[in-house]
Amino acid sequence: MKRLAPSILCADFSRLGEQVAAIEAGGADLIHVDVMDGHFVPNISFGATVMKSLVGKTALPFDVHLMIEEPDRYLKEFVTEQTEYITVHAEACVHLDRTLKTIHDMGVKAGVALNPATSLRVLDWVLELADQVLIMSVNPGFGGQSLLPYTLEKVRETAALRGRPEFRNPELAIGLDGGVNLENLGRALEAGADILVAGNSVFKAADIPARCREFKARMI
Ligand code: DX5
Ligand code: ZN
């Protein structure tokens, strides 16, 4: 099942509740929560407090994307009854195997994010531990960037990995994050992406629910 995960990094924070209600009305499937620490990425966004302000205010599950150094320090802050995924960057984890197991022990699905230049080989020994592989299609830190076309090849290769007979995690979800819009959506889906993160292309639309419905209509 293909899922739409609008990134609230690109929402109007002065009206965050309304904006989340708008994506929910439009049929979005997840709220992508972009957490940035100003160290792992050259930008600071928000912490768990902002995400927790949405608990109970929306039925949408949280797809937490931690763009932070040493994420182990903060994992439990992001565990709520609505947290479906916590995704950490392979580049930010010294002990990725342990971090993914820690996320699972907290009762949450574990994701691994890879920056554009990072090889899929870093997944070799942890792919069966991951519930999501998040392929970054921009260099992380900011919304509104253009999708780097070569990253769609990484999506394709991850989908091929998942299809290997010896691979015991056929439920693995492939996320694509950065610069996704209605123009490149078809190529992203064809490459094998399951969770489509969209920031500016959703939240900068004049009619947010309609834009979400446009995405969803093409994701069937
Ligand atoms: C970038 C974030 C993305 C971004 C998406 O570091 O991880 O989720 O906010 O925004 P767009 O879709 O505008 O690139
Ligand atoms: Zn993100």
Side-chain angles (χ1 to χ4, degrees):
M1 179 193 156
K2 305 297 184 183
R3 302 169 87 184
L4 176 64
S7 162
I8 55 171
L9 179 73
C10 307
D12 175 351
F13 287 135
S14 72
R15 303 185 296 127
L16 186 57
E18 288 169 42
Q19 299 253 289
V20 167
I23 62 170
E24 189 165 10
D29 301 288
L30 293 157
I31 299 174
H32 186 79
V33 181
D34 278 319
V35 182
M36 302 177 179
D37 65 358
H39 291 278
F40 181 72
V41 290
N43 192 10
I44 297 174
S45 59
F46 47 77
T49 308
V50 171
M51 185 189 86
K52 286 175 176 171
S53 74
L54 298 171
V55 171
K57 304 290 192 316
T58 171
L60 294 180
F62 302 141
D63 173 39
V64 180
H65 177 194
L66 296 180
M67 288 165 276
I68 66 175
E69 296 289 356
E70 299 173 61
D72 292 76
R73 297 171 298 157
Y74 293 102
L75 294 175
K76 66 181 180 308
E77 299 295 315
F78 291 91
V79 178
T80 70
E81 62 269 27
Q82 281 179 248
T83 305
E84 180 169 350
Y85 289 101
I86 295 179
T87 295
V88 294
H89 269 263
E91 305 91 346
C93 295
V94 175
H95 305 290
L96 184 57
D97 176 289
R98 182 166 62 201
T99 299
L100 297 176
K101 286 172 180 167
T102 303
I103 295 170
H104 281 148
D105 291 347
M106 293 174 174
V108 175
K109 291 178 185 173
V112 186
L114 302 180
N115 288 333
T118 301
S119 167
L120 293 175
R121 298 304 312 261
V122 302
L123 299 171
D124 278 2
W125 302 103
V126 292
L127 208 57
E128 292 177 17
L129 280 175
D131 300 294
Q132 178 183 174
V133 171
L134 183 63
I135 303 293
M136 292 306 299
S137 33
V138 297
N139 292 295
F142 303 92
Q145 301 178 78
S146 298
L147 179 143
L148 296 168
Y150 70 83
T151 58
L152 294 181
E153 187 49 36
K154 289 176 76 173
V155 172
R156 206 167 279 114
E157 286 186 22
T158 307
L161 269 181
R162 175 177 61 185
R164 278 194 339 220
E166 72 275 20
F167 184 59
R168 290 182 294 282
N169 186 357
E171 298 308 308
L172 176 75
I174 301 172
L176 184 66
D177 187 3
V180 175
N181 55 41
L182 290 175
E183 288 66 45
N184 57 38
L185 179 63
R187 283 181 288 137
L189 294 167
E190 181 273 328
D194 305 302
I195 297 174
L196 288 301
V197 177
N200 275 33
S201 56
V202 165
F203 284 109
K204 301 305 179 230
D207 184 334
I208 291 174
R211 177 60 54 86
C212 290
R213 282 190 287 272
E214 281 179 275
F215 266 94
K216 291 289 286 178
R218 302 182 193 195
M219 292 167 62
I220 296 169

